[in-house]
Amino acid sequence: MTSQPSTRRLRIGVDVGGTNTDGVILDPSLASSSSSKGILAHIKTATTRNPSDGIITAITSMFTQLSATHPNIHPQDSIASVTIGTTHFVNAVIERDPTRLSPVAVLRLSGPFSKHVPPCVDWPEDMRSLILGYHARVKGGLEVDGSLISDIDEDEIRHHCQKIKKKGIKAVVVNGVFSPIDAVHKQEERAAEIIRRELGDHVDLVCSKEVANLGFLERENAAVLNASILRFARRTIREFREAVRKLGLQGCPVFITQNDGTILKGEKAAELPIKTFSSGPTNSMRGAAFLVQQQQQQEQENEKKEGEEAMIVVDIGGTTTDVGLLLPNGFPRQQAAYSELAGVRMNFSCPDIRSIGLGGGSIVRKDSNGGITVGPDSVGYKIDKEALLFGGSTLTTTDCTVLANPDITSIGDASLVKDALTKEETEQFKVIVKSKIEKIIDNMKTSPDDLPVILVGGGAVIAPDELQGASKVLKPRWSEVANAIGAAISRVSAVVDTIKSTETNTEKQFLEEIKKEAIERTIAAGASPESVEVVEIEMLPLQYVKNKTRFIVRAAGDFDFTRSDLSNAEEEEEEGASEDAVDEDPLPERQAVTDPNKPKASPEAAVDVLTYTPTVRNRIWHISETDLAFISTGCYILGTGGGGSPYASMILLRQLLRSGASVTVVSPADVPDTAAVGCGCGAGSPTVSIEKLQGDEMMQAQTELYKALLASHSSPLGQKTKATHMIALEIGGGNGLQGMTLGASTNMNVPCVDGDWMGRAYPTKWQTTPVVFNERSPIWSPIAVADGNGNVLVMPKAASDAAVERIIRAALSSMGSQVGAADPPVTGAEMKRWVVENTVSQAWRLGRAVARARAMNRLEEVAETIVEECSSGDGGGGRHGEREKGAKVLFKGKIVGVRRTLRMGHVYGECIIEGTDVSSDDTVTTTTITSGGKRTEGAVGGDEQNLFTGKRIKIPFKNENIAAIRIPENDGSNGSDDDGKKELEKQEDVLAIVPDLIAVIDAQSGEAVGTPEYRYGLLVIVLGIAASDKWTGSQRGIDLGGPKAFGFDHLKYEPLGTFVKPVSVIDEFDRSIE
């Protein structure tokens, strides 16, 4: 790497959007010293069919401006870089364009794992058939501690390469279990070398670890999309470079902006186009911050404030308002673990953007009650033809804004709107717009403190100059090209996401090493060493994995334009273009790929969730995909923050259904007393479960258990050594589906009981109802566990159920931190005494409530619907009579604090929630406001929501949520004990506590939020659900499942309501055939 002096200092930023192409020429050296912010030229022009033509037009126009205003500047000698933001790659995926997407082969290095969940299994069928051309599972993969599941087998890989070659597929993805932490064995890289030798250099090879981080399916999804679009991306970026050369900018590097606000060199973007998919909003946010940076610094100096502060960026277009939070480190806040594009779930970094249907073209309507509504529909880009100001016939927000603000004289003909609204209606309009913007701003904030708000975009004129929650409202000059400015000022960054053992080194020692590695990677990516800084650090202890912590460290710096090794010499470009000439030929027209590995059965047709009824015949419930979707959603809610996401288990079971398997559920009352009711579950770390997908360990454990029972003659069932029924250990989380999976016709071929041993999720095996009843002890031995990789542990005897838990947990770390466990069967008579009844039905009903709320766009009422489902059951007044209160809404607000620590394999922590309006932003869109600004409708946001506004609660958790506790108003500690002087909670502040269920759901989606997913700024609803009387009916149950079991000896259990037995789906929908 060498450096050389350079007189080039100007940067060009271009943002190619679907409608407009924006450009800017910027001199960074003048950014802080000139009123022009260093902006020497700017342009907004229509996007062309060929984006390169639009780029040439935009830059040529700016050169003309530059020559007129700065005749001494010669662009060919002064331009240091051209940075482009584009939507063309993501549009190819969204539009499912077969001329731009290539078929892909996937090789998994996973050994025996993931066999039941093939690649692209959760994709829309048309996308899967278009892109997935071949897939195979081969030896390889790592455990969470870095040890081998198995080493790769070269002959095996070569065998599959021959099949890929015969199919003519020229894009291959290699995905290994725990590959992101594989710094020693380098299995993906070694496999890629073998594939390259077999298939040739013309084949595109993508190692999943280069695309995304931990999360096997989601990383694979991202890698497959990336591979599919590579040829189109290379062709497009080559055209971008050619456009720059045509402008005479020889040797000028071309960069592409990526999702997190940083840049990739053109050739790197051609390798990782997926990292550019969401760069547009990020460019806009960073450009906005740049425009107000000098003003912010001056005000901070005057007010003697230390450090940078976060800023809210509000980008108002013609149809929508997009809002994001720019963190003090200068980068936008990123989304939580997963994002979705075109129906494909992925885990690469994307900015957290909230959008509402409010823009300059939003349509304003009057109603018969004297009120008005705003949006969400819009005239969009036709505003200059359809708005009243321009002679059209549609009343828009821009029309109303000009009417309300006579000082605005630069937009259209104000005389055309003078009678559009009365004075009272004009005031109503202002209240609605102000309320909508204030609400989405509040949703983005992570603390109650006011923050600066920057308004950008062509529709920013409709926003008021003052907003509640804003310390100030800024409308900077040049905001209409903020996205191009953001592209021009983008930085270089690198991320290290790894897992380390803290057994010999401390977290602090590892953190220093990882920070150094992140800085080195950033410099290698092109940053000047003196500018690099660490901008983000996250440490996550792993549950049930001894001495293991996940570190995520990110560094960023300014691009080093003096480095000769990063220049784009013309000769190099021409040489590279000729080498790639064959590869860059247009993709041939093609049909969707026929995949021989695809399940024979097709997915269910679209189902109307509002009218759907399950199939129950002769008191046997035949599970469908729709039922499974409902149950999965409900299981996570009943998991009370723990139990792990059911997503992977749901995908596995759905595959069984699509392959023709039968899955049935029966009522506990219908099980014979002499039946043998078996049980199985997964045990281990949720971090491992998202990476090492289930193989055959669940069935292997069952097989080994019954072998042991047969040999020992110790079964309580006498000579019976085979289960006749299965039951879930816990309905909460992923284990809630295991009873059905094990009972499927392709596995044990027995029905699953509509019930479980917890009625929720608990962190330990002794927190189960059979242990509560204590009719025999221990209940959980013999037990067998299998790791799916050939290792089985059978425990014929145990001193106690607590000993079973302790010993199995100790074995976990040596068995990959994830096992399938098989529990000894109980008799049908025992099951009827101990079971928490109808919990599969309860999960189904909760999931159906969420699905229906989505279908009707009434998510603001989902919490109340869930409460209704839990408050009407088999007892009391029945479903249509007087209802018992079996649940209640405990709180609604925004997460403003999360603290975690690892003790004895369990993640302990607290979540702090501050009361706020959590209803969806569309609620305000349709709310009618009469004269004086009073709402006449709008459910949440009225008196009920005022119960929570300004208040705070905390939720302590041990994997699962333990309690919901009010934080006193005079408590300024945020409920934490960081100072080591934590005061004990008071009984009168307890809203709910175990064994009652405390569930947190996402207010914007209705889905459960697990404790690992708690994050700042998330809008949530906290529900309390009364625990089963199997727990609360005895002091032993309260002792085992209540406050004392979690170390809250100073608090006592007081029920939040009356338990209502869930209504059986079988009882309600049975259509018996006589």
Side-chain angles (χ1 to χ4, degrees):
M1 179 181 74
T2 59
S3 297
Q4 57 189 19
S6 175
T7 58
R8 298 173 183 260
R9 68 179 189 277
L10 304 186
R11 302 185 191 180
I12 293 178
V14 180
D15 188 90
V16 184
T19 303
N20 294 312
T21 295
D22 301 335
V24 67
I25 298 179
L26 186 146
D27 185 346
S29 66
L30 301 177
S32 59
S33 61
S34 168
S35 60
S36 69
K37 310 292 185 185
I39 297 171
L40 306 183
H42 67 282
I43 187 73
K44 182 182 285 287
T45 185
T47 294
T48 55
R49 182 180 181 86
N50 184 334
S52 298
D53 293 340
I55 292 171
I56 292 175
T57 299
I59 295 178
T60 301
S61 297
M62 291 192 293
F63 282 174
T64 301
Q65 293 179 40
L66 193 64
S67 64
T69 57
H70 299 79
N72 294 327
I73 295 179
H74 302 288
Q76 288 75 11
D77 301 325
S78 304
I79 303 299
S81 65
V82 176
T83 305
I84 300 170
T86 179
T87 61
H88 282 70
F89 304 144
V90 67
N91 287 346
V93 174
I94 293 173
E95 295 166 9
R96 292 157 161 77
D97 185 350
T99 66
R100 292 183 285 176
L101 300 174
S102 302
V104 178
V106 179
L107 288 185
R108 284 182 173 177
L109 312 181
S110 59
F113 300 102
S114 80
K115 64 184 295 184
H116 303 294
V117 183
C120 308
V121 65
D122 52 353
W123 289 30
E125 184 62 23
D126 59 339
M127 282 281 285
R128 186 178 194 271
S129 61
L130 179 66
I131 292 177
L132 184 62
Y134 180 82
H135 65 88
R137 182 172 46 85
V138 300
K139 293 177 182 176
L142 271 63
E143 301 285 9
V144 68
D145 61 1
S147 62
L148 289 173
I149 292 174
S150 61
D151 203 358
I152 62 173
D153 183 328
E154 181 169 348
D155 290 339
E156 189 179 24
I157 294 172
R158 290 169 55 195
H159 168 74
H160 289 291
C161 284
Q162 296 309 308
K163 293 186 175 182
I164 293 169
K165 182 183 289 187
K166 287 181 180 179
K167 286 180 170 290
I169 297 172
K170 297 182 179 181
V172 182
V173 166
V174 182
N175 185 24
V177 175
F178 277 113
S179 62
I181 66 169
D182 182 10
V184 176
H185 305 285
K186 297 186 176 180
Q187 290 190 335
E188 285 191 354
E189 294 91 334
R190 287 162 53 207
E193 289 175 4
I194 297 169
I195 296 168
R196 181 78 69 193
R197 290 199 302 266
E198 293 296 312
L199 299 183
D201 292 336
H202 65 283
V203 171
D204 289 322
L205 271 169
V206 176
C207 292
S208 74
K209 65 191 292 184
E210 300 298 326
V211 177
N213 294 317
L214 296 178
F216 187 85
L217 273 182
E218 292 79 11
R219 180 175 69 252
E220 181 175 80
N221 288 344
V224 171
L225 282 185
N226 190 76
S228 181
I229 206 170
L230 279 178
R231 297 184 72 198
F232 171 66
R234 277 199 302 274
R235 188 167 68 246
T236 300
I237 291 173
R238 189 181 67 178
E239 290 173 355
F240 288 171
R241 286 173 165 169
E242 181 64 25
V244 171
R245 281 199 297 271
K246 287 180 178 178
L247 292 165
L249 302 177
Q250 308 297 338
C252 181
V254 176
F255 301 109
I256 308 297
T257 59
Q258 56 180 336
N259 307 324
D260 61 3
T262 58
I263 54 176
L264 290 170
K265 280 216 66 184
E267 61 268 27
K268 194 65 178 178
E271 296 173 5
L272 295 168
I274 197 166
K275 292 195 173 185
T276 71
F277 277 15
S278 300
S279 64
T282 303
N283 291 340
S284 181
M285 292 172 64
R286 285 183 52 76
F290 171 83
L291 291 174
V292 301
Q293 183 178 25
Q294 188 175 357
Q295 179 181 343
Q296 284 288 97
Q297 291 174 345
Q298 185 63 50
E299 290 180 1
Q300 281 190 309
E301 290 176 8
N302 294 339
E303 298 173 13
K304 298 182 178 180
K305 290 183 179 179
E306 294 185 1
E308 301 290 333
E309 64 177 333
M311 292 182 283
I312 300 285
V313 178
V314 181
D315 188 350
I316 306 177
T319 302
T320 63
T321 292
D322 302 325
V323 180
L325 179 70
L326 201 66
L327 299 172
N329 64 16
F331 292 95
R333 182 174 70 188
Q334 299 296 294
Q335 283 184 354
Y338 304 112
S339 57
E340 189 171 291
L341 174 71
V344 177
R345 177 176 157 120
M346 295 175 288
N347 65 342
F348 66 85
S349 181
C350 283
D352 185 7
I353 302 295
R354 309 281 174 88
S355 301
I356 57 173
L358 175 68
S362 295
I363 297 174
V364 179
R365 296 181 177 88
K366 304 179 185 180
D367 65 23
S368 58
N369 297 323
I372 62 171
T373 59
V374 179
D377 49 342
S378 168
V379 298
Y381 68 91
K382 298 179 180 178
I383 188 171
D384 59 349
K385 297 180 179 62
E386 297 190 10
L388 299 186
L389 283 165
F390 301 101
S393 59
T394 305
L395 182 63
T396 69
T397 50
T398 301
D399 296 323
C400 298
T401 300
V402 171
L403 177 62
N405 300 274
D407 293 340
I408 300 176
T409 59
S410 59
I411 303 176
D413 184 351
S415 66
L416 298 176
V417 298
K418 64 179 180 179
D419 298 321
L421 297 176
T422 66
K423 184 176 180 181
E424 286 187 343
E425 288 169 342
T426 302
E427 288 302 313
Q428 292 176 48
F429 165 78
K430 292 166 65 176
V431 169
I432 292 175
V433 171
K434 187 171 186 287
S435 174
K436 289 165 75 68
I437 297 175
E438 288 175 343
K439 183 174 179 182
I440 195 169
I441 287 173
D442 186 65
N443 288 351
M444 288 301 299
K445 289 166 61 180
T446 60
S447 78
D449 298 333
D450 289 349
L451 292 175
V453 171
I454 311 172
L455 297 174
V456 298
V461 66
I462 71 172
D465 294 329
E466 293 183 359
L467 293 164
Q468 183 178 350
S471 58
K472 53 182 167 285
V473 176
L474 306 171
K475 295 182 180 179
R477 185 184 174 192
W478 299 293
S479 63
E480 69 276 12
V481 291
N483 44 9
I485 295 171
I489 64 168
S490 294
R491 306 180 81 196
V492 181
S493 77
V495 177
V496 177
D497 184 342
T498 188
I499 294 174
K500 296 289 186 180
S501 170
T502 55
E503 190 169 9
T504 55
N505 287 12
T506 65
E507 287 185 345
K508 185 176 181 180
Q509 289 172 322
F510 275 122
L511 184 58
E512 290 304 313
E513 293 177 11
I514 295 166
K515 286 165 63 176
K516 182 179 178 182
E517 182 182 352
I519 290 171
E520 290 172 349
R521 288 190 186 184
T522 305
I523 294 171
S528 58
E530 66 276 7
S531 70
V532 178
E533 58 183 340
V534 174
V535 296
E536 188 176 322
I537 296 173
E538 190 171 8
M539 294 187 295
L540 301 171
L542 304 189
Q543 296 170 243
Y544 308 127
V545 184
K546 188 177 181 180
N547 301 318
K548 291 289 191 299
T549 298
R550 181 180 178 185
F551 296 83
I552 305 172
V553 177
R554 182 179 184 197
D558 297 324
F559 190 82
D560 186 352
F561 293 104
T562 67
R563 282 172 54 177
S564 59
D565 62 315
L566 297 172
S567 66
N568 278 2
E570 183 178 11
E571 294 78 16
E572 294 173 348
E573 293 284 9
E574 290 177 350
E575 182 180 341
S578 62
E579 289 176 354
D580 289 342
V582 175
D583 183 68
E584 302 306 334
D585 288 341
L587 291 169
E589 292 188 13
R590 62 188 181 90
Q591 301 295 320
V593 177
T594 301
D595 179 10
N597 298 307
K598 178 181 162 186
K600 296 179 181 179
S602 59
E604 284 186 351
V607 171
D608 184 352
V609 298
L610 301 179
T611 60
Y612 173 78
T613 57
T615 300
V616 183
R617 294 190 299 268
N618 294 324
R619 297 193 58 76
I620 297 176
W621 180 7
H622 297 266
I623 299 298
S624 68
E625 285 190 36
T626 301
D627 295 328
L628 176 59
F630 291 172
I631 294 167
S632 179
T633 298
C635 282
Y636 210 14
I637 293 173
L638 294 173
T640 64
S645 170
Y647 183 75
S649 298
M650 183 274 291
I651 293 296
L652 187 154
L653 186 50
R654 191 179 71 183
Q655 279 303 104
L656 294 181
L657 291 173
R658 290 184 177 180
S659 299
S662 172
V663 177
T664 58
V665 175
V666 298
S667 170
D670 296 334
V671 176
D673 288 350
T674 57
V677 182
C679 183
C681 66
S685 168
T687 301
V688 176
S689 68
I690 66 171
E691 186 67 28
K692 190 171 71 173
L693 302 185
Q694 188 174 319
D696 290 329
E697 58 267 28
M698 297 292 293
M699 280 301 299
Q700 288 172 1
Q702 294 289 328
T703 300
E704 296 299 326
L705 172 68
Y706 287 100
K707 283 182 183 178
L709 289 174
L710 180 63
S712 67
H713 304 290
S714 61
S715 171
L717 306 173
Q719 297 302 310
K720 288 187 179 178
T721 55
K722 181 180 179 182
T724 60
H725 298 74
M726 293 302 292
I727 190 171
L729 177 80
E730 55 184 345
I731 193 64
N735 274 332
L737 303 179
Q738 294 301 342
M740 290 181 287
T741 302
L742 287 168
S745 60
T746 49
N747 288 325
M748 299 178 74
N749 194 24
V750 297
C752 176
V753 174
D754 188 0
D756 73 301
W757 298 136
M758 291 186 185
R760 47 169 299 144
Y762 268 123
T764 61
K765 208 174 190 72
W766 49 263
Q767 289 175 305
T768 49
T769 51
V771 179
V772 171
F773 277 77
N774 199 32
E775 295 179 9
R776 53 185 174 89
S777 181
I779 189 70
W780 297 128
S781 70
I783 185 173
V785 296
D787 68 357
N789 200 28
N791 300 304
V792 177
L793 172 66
V794 179
M795 189 174 176
K797 291 183 179 181
S800 66
D801 292 305
V804 173
E805 171 77 18
R806 185 174 64 254
I807 293 168
I808 296 301
R809 292 292 178 197
L812 266 176
S813 60
S814 299
M815 300 181 76
S817 299
Q818 178 176 283
V819 296
D823 299 318
V826 303
T827 68
E830 289 174 324
M831 179 275 294
K832 292 175 186 177
R833 294 196 298 272
W834 304 339
V835 67
V836 182
E837 298 174 87
N838 301 344
T839 52
V840 177
S841 292
Q842 183 179 29
W844 183 89
R845 294 186 186 282
L846 299 186
R848 183 182 64 167
V850 173
R852 284 180 166 179
R854 285 183 189 147
M856 296 186 292
N857 293 318
R858 298 179 68 175
L859 278 170
E860 70 276 4
E861 299 176 11
V862 68
E864 287 72 17
T865 306
I866 290 173
V867 168
E868 180 76 8
E869 288 289 355
C870 296
S871 298
S872 51
D874 284 350
R879 291 193 65 76
H880 303 291
E882 188 67 26
R883 282 164 168 73
E884 301 275 8
K885 282 294 181 182
K888 63 173 64 173
V889 176
L890 300 176
F891 206 74
K892 297 183 179 184
K894 177 171 59 178
I895 295 178
V896 296
V898 183
R899 181 178 58 85
R900 296 183 178 92
T901 187
L902 187 68
R903 296 200 300 268
M904 297 298 290
H906 300 290
V907 172
Y908 290 76
E910 283 184 347
C911 174
I912 311 299
I913 305 173
E914 183 175 83
T916 189
D917 184 357
V918 301
S919 58
S920 69
D921 299 301
D922 289 337
T923 303
V924 180
T925 302
T926 58
T927 297
T928 299
I929 300 183
T930 58
S931 59
K934 182 179 179 181
R935 286 190 177 92
T936 59
E937 59 179 355
V940 181
D943 294 339
E944 188 261 357
Q945 183 59 43
N946 290 334
L947 294 172
F948 311 119
T949 301
K951 299 179 175 63
R952 292 179 301 155
I953 68 167
K954 65 179 178 181
I955 299 179
F957 55 85
K958 175 189 174 184
N959 294 3
E960 286 79 24
N961 300 321
I962 299 170
I965 302 172
R966 184 186 302 107
I967 299 176
E969 292 184 13
N970 58 357
D971 183 351
S973 67
N974 246 1
S976 73
D977 60 348
D978 294 336
D979 57 1
K981 300 179 181 178
K982 178 180 176 180
E983 293 186 8
L984 292 179
E985 299 86 354
K986 297 178 181 179
Q987 187 67 39
E988 60 264 29
D989 292 326
V990 175
L991 302 176
I993 197 164
V994 287
D996 286 342
L997 288 68
I998 297 94
V1000 177
I1001 65 173
D1002 186 331
Q1004 304 298 305
S1005 70
E1007 294 279 353
V1009 181
T1011 56
E1013 297 150 10
Y1014 291 166
R1015 66 177 177 86
Y1016 294 94
L1018 191 64
L1019 295 175
V1020 296
I1021 301 171
V1022 184
L1023 300 172
I1025 303 174
S1028 166
D1029 53 9
K1030 298 292 172 68
W1031 287 103
T1032 61
S1034 69
Q1035 187 58 48
R1036 179 175 171 82
I1038 294 173
D1039 289 343
L1040 288 175
K1044 290 183 180 180
F1046 294 91
F1048 284 74
D1049 299 50
H1050 57 291
L1051 298 176
K1052 65 179 181 179
Y1053 169 68
E1054 293 179 353
L1056 64 83
T1058 303
F1059 170 68
V1060 179
K1061 180 180 171 183
V1063 175
S1064 165
V1065 167
I1066 296 168
D1067 289 345
E1068 181 173 355
F1069 295 102
D1070 180 39
R1071 299 295 181 266
S1072 295
I1073 301 173
E1074 299 297 336

